[in-house]
Amino acid sequence: MVEMPGRKKKNGQEKRIRFSDDLLWGVHPVFEALQEKKGYFSEIIIQKDRQGARIEEIIAMARSRQIKLTFVSSIRLTGDGASRVRHQGIIARTSETELLSLEEFLQKHPSKREDGTNTRLMICDSLQDPHNLGAIIRSALASGAGGVIITRERSVSPGGTVAKSSAGALSHIDICQVTNLVSALKVLKKAGYWVFGAVKDDDASSLYDTDLAVPACFIVGSEGRGIRSLVRKECDMLLSIPMEGRLDSLNSSVAAAVILFEAMRQNVSAHG
């Protein structure tokens, strides 16, 4: 097989995808949805042996809209409903909401709002559980956060399951997707934000002893691994949530909620 020009090789392994309600498949359905801009896309996965004018048009449209493209040797759908799918070597992950670039996001959410109050943002570092992401989005909206930033790689897309888990909040809050979170944090700090990372370290600052009445970005990490080391180095301060009993950590969505509402409490008190 001749490699199509401009395509970057990933690995030669089979791509396994669990069937879910945020998938769109088939050459013509994906092409039509892209052309008519029906819905939003977080990733398009294409088998490297699929060629033709329509495939190249899909690739061109995806690149012009900065949609992640993944080229694989083969695609295998798993789970309930997968046997009925004829994907024709192309599957798109759809999103229930528009995914803003960091530039667009910051234009809408400067560190200080017009009324002089501080903007608060929630950042999810490589979160892969759609139920956790949905719950975090719901807490972010309820606590007055301006928006949520997610990573493009190793992160669940805000599709149907996330939308359901957010109980409608996904439609009312801005979501930004970034390719390189470390670079994005540098930009956010230059824009006037303080970056706080949630960790379970004994030497981290207690949430309740930390001044959060500032323009703030709060980061929670993936389930199990937490915040990645390079992301952690970009944090201005590391936060821990004091707990009693034998548990040493909280679910990421619970930790995010505790932090977001403490930050809301402090900001309300500060602005009286």
Side-chain angles (χ1 to χ4, degrees):
M1 182 196 76
V2 177
E3 187 73 17
M4 296 295 289
R7 297 194 186 184
K8 293 181 180 179
K9 289 187 178 181
K10 292 281 183 180
N11 55 56
Q13 297 179 352
E14 175 183 73
K15 177 74 172 181
R16 295 191 177 188
I17 304 170
R18 179 167 291 279
F19 181 78
S20 63
D21 55 5
D22 61 350
L23 299 180
L24 179 66
W25 57 86
V27 175
H28 292 292
V30 172
F31 174 80
E32 293 295 335
L34 278 169
Q35 190 175 51
E36 298 179 19
K37 296 186 178 180
K38 291 181 178 177
Y40 306 103
F41 294 80
S42 60
E43 181 182 15
I44 298 177
I45 303 158
I46 303 175
Q47 286 184 191
K48 289 186 288 188
D49 61 355
R50 293 300 189 263
Q51 301 180 16
R54 189 52 52 86
I55 289 289
E56 294 309 311
E57 287 180 279
I58 288 172
I59 293 171
M61 284 191 286
R63 284 181 173 151
S64 69
R65 290 165 56 180
Q66 298 183 322
I67 299 169
K68 178 183 177 183
L69 282 165
T70 301
F71 299 98
V72 298
S73 60
S74 63
I75 298 172
R76 180 183 175 188
L77 276 176
T78 63
D80 295 340
S83 61
R84 301 192 299 269
V85 174
R86 299 293 179 265
H87 56 69
Q88 299 177 306
I90 181 167
I91 290 179
R93 296 187 190 275
T94 63
S95 168
E96 292 287 320
T97 188
E98 182 180 9
L99 300 176
L100 302 177
S101 68
L102 184 59
E103 182 181 3
E104 293 170 326
F105 190 75
L106 279 174
Q107 286 178 351
K108 296 184 71 174
H109 302 288
S111 58
K112 285 281 188 180
R113 296 175 173 137
E114 290 183 0
D115 61 2
T117 58
N118 300 311
T119 304
R120 301 183 301 280
L121 305 175
M122 191 68 228
I123 300 178
C124 300
D125 180 20
S126 306
L127 213 66
Q128 297 179 346
D129 187 319
H131 299 285
N132 276 342
L133 180 56
I136 288 171
I137 289 170
R138 185 178 185 183
S139 294
L141 180 65
S143 65
V148 177
I149 297 175
I150 61 175
T151 53
R152 195 174 81 165
E153 306 295 336
R154 298 179 295 276
S155 177
V156 64
S157 63
T161 302
V162 172
K164 291 173 186 175
S165 298
S166 77
L170 184 61
S171 301
H172 301 285
I173 195 168
D174 289 326
I175 307 294
C176 170
Q177 187 181 63
V178 298
T179 303
N180 187 319
L181 182 54
V182 171
S183 297
L185 292 176
K186 293 179 188 295
V187 173
L188 287 162
K189 288 194 284 188
K190 286 182 180 179
Y193 282 98
W194 287 76
V195 178
F196 299 88
V199 298
K200 57 181 181 179
D201 296 12
D202 292 337
D203 58 351
S205 300
S206 167
L207 172 66
Y208 304 116
D209 295 332
T210 304
D211 181 6
L212 305 179
V214 295
C217 301
F218 301 108
I219 309 176
V220 292
S222 63
E223 305 81 0
R225 293 189 175 183
I227 300 173
R228 290 173 293 163
S229 58
L230 289 177
V231 173
R232 183 178 174 135
K233 289 178 181 178
E234 287 299 321
C235 294
D236 294 305
M237 185 172 291
L238 298 175
L239 298 176
S240 66
I241 300 172
M243 291 183 290
E244 295 185 0
R246 296 184 178 180
L247 291 178
D248 65 350
S249 65
L250 295 173
N251 173 283
S252 57
S253 63
V254 175
V258 172
I259 293 168
L260 283 165
F261 282 97
E262 172 61 14
M264 181 182 75
R265 184 193 68 80
Q266 289 191 25
N267 276 270
V268 169
S269 298
H271 291 90

